[in-house]
Amino acid sequence: GLALAAMADDRLRLGLLRAMALRELGRIPESLAAFRAVAETTAEGLGQCRAWIGVASCVRLLGGNEEGFAALQAAEPLARRFRAARELSEIHYYFGALRFALGDIDGCLRHHADAHGFALTAQDAECEAQALSGLGDAHYGRGRMRQAIDHFRRCQALCRERGFGRIEVGSTHMIGAIRRYLSEGEQALADLRQAAATAAKVGNIRTQMVALNILGEI
């Protein structure tokens, strides 16, 4: 497609699609390079905004922070300029995820709440599911296990209703992780085994690794 594309918009869409496909295949360094290339060669607009969000999504998976924050700070003004609620939901979701990794749980909770609000504004079920998962992480980080599992279950139900299998995998392994704190050991083991198997099936290596690690701990 990229070899045949003559229009800039076609090259942009194909470039973003290629970068997303690489990310979903677990080829994160290649995906990061592809998102960077689109962001750095595209004129200011929603396409560039989406590319910077893609950069942040990859940096998060590789365990980085500074480049992720910089990418989101570049994306947010573009999303606000175009009043793009879906993109703003994604931006705040990744802000929240990076804040969680730094141990800033208050910041994590604030950004995921914003992500949820923008998802509802956009009427985008996928962003809503992602934000519910983020809120689950935030409450988990606060030690509020019942609140956390409630958000993950809401995320799981929405994912099953709409077919968002890749997001559902993350919620399933977190439900298993939280159940150990609620003295539900057997159910926790079942959830984690299911999450690890499903993550392997869809190529979500990071979730597979975490699910297996927690399974071993239990």
Side-chain angles (χ1 to χ4, degrees), residues 31-138:
S31 176
L32 177 57
F35 276 123
R36 274 197 203 117
V38 174
E40 292 168 359
T41 59
T42 301
E44 286 191 357
L46 273 182
Q48 188 186 63
C49 173
R50 289 167 186 145
W52 285 126
I53 293 170
V55 168
S57 72
C58 291
V59 169
R60 169 187 173 244
L61 292 171
L62 293 172
N65 289 306
E66 288 185 15
E67 185 180 6
F69 283 123
L72 294 172
Q73 286 160 359
E76 187 172 10
L78 296 170
R80 290 194 180 279
R81 184 191 306 173
F82 293 96
R83 298 181 181 179
R86 187 186 198 284
E87 283 72 17
L88 284 166
S89 179
E90 289 191 287
I91 287 165
H92 283 284
Y93 170 78
Y94 287 115
F95 265 132
L98 293 174
R99 286 290 171 197
F100 182 86
L102 290 174
D104 177 9
I105 304 304
D106 289 339
C108 169
L109 180 61
R110 185 175 65 255
H111 280 295
H112 284 313
D114 287 343
H116 189 251
F118 282 118
L120 295 179
T121 298
Q123 297 183 320
D124 190 296
E126 188 170 3
C127 284
E128 182 184 356
Q130 194 167 249
L132 286 169
S133 175
L135 286 166
D137 282 335

Side-chain angles (χ1 to χ4, degrees), residues 8-216:
D9 283 351
D10 290 335
R11 289 195 296 273
L12 169 62
R13 284 193 291 268
L14 287 163
L16 288 171
L17 182 59
R18 177 176 177 272
M20 286 187 283
L22 287 166
R23 183 186 62 197
E24 299 310 310
L25 286 167
R27 293 161 61 179
I28 309 303
E30 291 175 79
S31 176
L32 177 57
F35 276 123
R36 274 197 203 117
V38 174
E40 292 168 359
T41 59
T42 301
E44 286 191 357
L46 273 182
Q48 188 186 63
C49 173
R50 289 167 186 145
W52 285 126
I53 293 170
V55 168
S57 72
C58 291
V59 169
R60 169 187 173 244
L61 292 171
L62 293 172
N65 289 306
E66 288 185 15
E67 185 180 6
F69 283 123
L72 294 172
Q73 286 160 359
E76 187 172 10
L78 296 170
R80 290 194 180 279
R81 184 191 306 173
F82 293 96
R83 298 181 181 179
R86 187 186 198 284
E87 283 72 17
L88 284 166
S89 179
E90 289 191 287
I91 287 165
H92 283 284
Y93 170 78
Y94 287 115
F95 265 132
L98 293 174
R99 286 290 171 197
F100 182 86
L102 290 174
D104 177 9
I105 304 304
D106 289 339
C108 169
L109 180 61
R110 185 175 65 255
H111 280 295
H112 284 313
D114 287 343
H116 189 251
F118 282 118
L120 295 179
T121 298
Q123 297 183 320
D124 190 296
E126 188 170 3
C127 284
E128 182 184 356
Q130 194 167 249
L132 286 169
S133 175
L135 286 166
D137 282 335
H139 289 300
Y140 173 81
R142 297 170 73 217
R144 304 293 177 87
M145 298 304 172
R146 294 194 184 279
Q147 280 182 284
I149 205 168
D150 176 62
H151 281 86
F152 283 120
R153 282 175 173 151
R154 287 167 61 192
C155 171
Q156 188 181 63
L158 183 57
C159 288
R160 287 177 177 174
E161 177 188 333
R162 298 298 187 97
F164 304 141
R166 301 184 73 82
I167 300 174
E168 183 186 344
V169 170
S171 287
T172 302
H173 96 273
M174 283 305 300
I175 289 170
I178 292 167
R179 275 181 152 163
R180 62 181 165 171
Y181 297 106
L182 304 178
S183 299
E184 298 174 0
E186 290 301 323
Q187 299 97 316
L189 292 172
D191 284 332
L192 290 162
R193 289 189 182 107
Q194 179 189 344
T198 308
K201 183 178 178 181
V202 301
N204 188 332
I205 298 168
R206 183 175 183 271
T207 294
Q208 182 186 9
M209 175 184 70
V210 175
L212 289 170
N213 184 58
I214 300 170
L215 188 62

